[in-house]
């Protein structure tokens, strides 16, 4: 079975703290993604990566950075957390192989910044 | 421009009655189309996908969807709703190997006993 694991499900952080959200996939997928999901705004792409050490900005990269040192792991970093980054964060992965491009999601990480 | 429109933000049905969740897309290309379900405080789970094979796609939990190119639609149906189907459903269109993915706004399905 496909598995995308987000290690932290619920976090509470203080304004200005550095926050790491970790994501691991066990499917040897090339592509990994970070989204945030907010009521009324839907899912918005923050960053994605199509290979180790490669990253591309999504629609809302401001205030975030990412790291992909290993193929299976994609980390989202909030350098200095702010209250407007309180949200549900979803990690996802996919394989590009012919017509196969299904995106698989993790369970989500709820981040509250106080 | 590519877009996805879920025509209903909320749908309410009684248990045991059919479910219809509507999705239209616009595309200059042949897209891959997906339906995902999200239960409260959970991630998105794949229900089914269309990738230019059969136009009627069967998914998990009794759901199916029909790709109609002439109508640019990909509506999700289920013959008989169950209480556990209450969730939010997303229609998703993907292009160019998944790098360009557009999510619908979501349809919240309520199931009444």
């Amino acid at each position: 079975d496909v598995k995308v694991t987000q290690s932290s499900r619920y976090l509470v952080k203080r304004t200005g703290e550095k926050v790491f959200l970790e994501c691991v996939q066990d499917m040897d997928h090339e592509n990994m993604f970070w989204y945030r999901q907010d009521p009324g705004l839907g899912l918005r792409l923050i960053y994605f990566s199509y290979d180790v050490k490669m990253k591309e900005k999504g629609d809302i990269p401001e205030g975030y950075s990412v790291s992909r040192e290993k193929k299976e792991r994609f980390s989202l970093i909030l350098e200095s957390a702010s209250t407007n980054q309180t949200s549900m964060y979803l990690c996802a992965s996919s394989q590009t192989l012919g017509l196969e491009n299904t995106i698989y999601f993790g369970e989500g990480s709820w981040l509250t910044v106080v | 421009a590519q877009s996805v429109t879920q025509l209903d933000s909320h749908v309410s049905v009684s248990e045991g009655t059919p479910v219809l969740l509507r999705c239209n897309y616009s595309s200059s290309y042949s897209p891959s189309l997906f339906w995902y379900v999200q239960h409260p405080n959970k991630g998105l789970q794949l229900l089914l996908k269309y990738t230019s094979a059969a136009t009627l796609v069967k998914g998990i939990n009794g759901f199916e969807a029909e790709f109609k190119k002439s109508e640019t639609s990909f509506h999700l149906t289920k013959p008989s709703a169950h209480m556990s189907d209450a969730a939010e459903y997303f229609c998703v269109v993907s292009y160019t190997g998944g790098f360009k993915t557009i999510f619908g706004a979501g349809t919240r399905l309520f199931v009444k006993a």
Side-chain angles (χ1 to χ4, degrees):
Chain A
D1 238 10
V2 165
K3 192 79 173 171
V4 178
T5 302
Q6 296 181 233
S7 52
S8 301
R9 291 296 321 278
Y10 301 95
L11 305 94
V12 180
K13 298 292 181 181
R14 295 194 180 277
T15 301
E17 275 193 78
K18 191 168 186 176
V19 181
F20 292 88
L21 298 180
E22 306 287 345
C23 175
V24 176
Q25 51 98 0
D26 66 357
M27 297 158 287
D28 202 36
H29 282 174
E30 301 147 348
N31 313 314
M32 296 189 74
F33 309 84
W34 276 106
Y35 292 88
R36 65 178 281 178
Q37 185 178 25
D38 300 287
L41 296 175
L43 276 84
R44 294 179 291 169
L45 181 64
I46 305 171
Y47 267 97
F48 69 95
S49 167
Y50 54 87
D51 201 353
V52 175
K53 298 191 185 294
M54 305 302 289
K55 60 185 179 184
E56 295 287 341
K57 293 180 180 179
D59 300 318
I60 52 161
E62 296 78 20
Y64 303 94
S65 63
V66 290
S67 172
R68 193 164 181 203
E69 296 296 319
K70 293 185 178 182
K71 190 175 186 180
E72 68 271 17
R73 188 178 297 271
F74 193 36
S75 302
L76 180 68
I77 303 156
L78 287 67
E79 294 288 344
S80 177
S82 63
T83 54
N84 62 13
Q85 292 179 309
T86 292
S87 186
M88 158 86 128
Y89 291 87
L90 287 163
C91 176
S93 71
S94 74
Q95 174 83 323
T96 304
L97 185 65
L99 294 176
E100 176 52 51
N101 59 358
T102 305
I103 298 178
Y104 296 92
F105 287 86
E107 289 283 277
S109 297
W110 282 101
L111 172 65
T112 301
V113 182
V114 297
Chain B
Q2 294 88 7
S3 66
V4 180
T5 303
Q6 291 184 240
L7 297 166
D8 306 290
S9 58
H10 299 87
V11 170
S12 181
V13 300
S14 297
E15 193 174 22
T17 64
V19 176
L20 170 64
L21 305 182
R22 299 181 295 165
C23 173
N24 286 111
Y25 70 95
S26 67
S27 170
S28 307
Y29 315 100
S30 294
S32 297
L33 295 159
F34 307 84
W35 276 99
Y36 289 84
V37 60
Q38 185 178 33
H39 288 94
N41 300 323
K42 296 284 190 180
L44 276 68
Q45 180 187 15
L46 180 68
L47 274 179
L48 50 80
K49 61 182 176 182
Y50 166 79
T51 53
S52 78
T55 56
L56 183 62
V57 182
K58 293 189 184 299
I60 61 171
N61 300 335
F63 285 94
E64 61 181 40
E66 186 172 7
F67 173 69
K68 292 187 176 181
K69 188 174 181 179
S70 60
E71 298 176 12
T72 60
S73 69
F74 190 57
H75 301 336
L76 182 70
T77 60
K78 183 173 181 177
S80 176
H82 191 272
M83 295 297 287
S84 61
D85 295 328
E88 187 144 25
Y89 292 79
F90 292 91
C91 182
V92 178
V93 180
S94 180
Y95 307 89
T96 60
F99 292 152
K100 180 63 177 176
T101 300
I102 302 172
F103 291 83
T107 298
R108 184 162 295 277
L109 175 65
F110 297 94
V111 182
K112 298 174 289 187

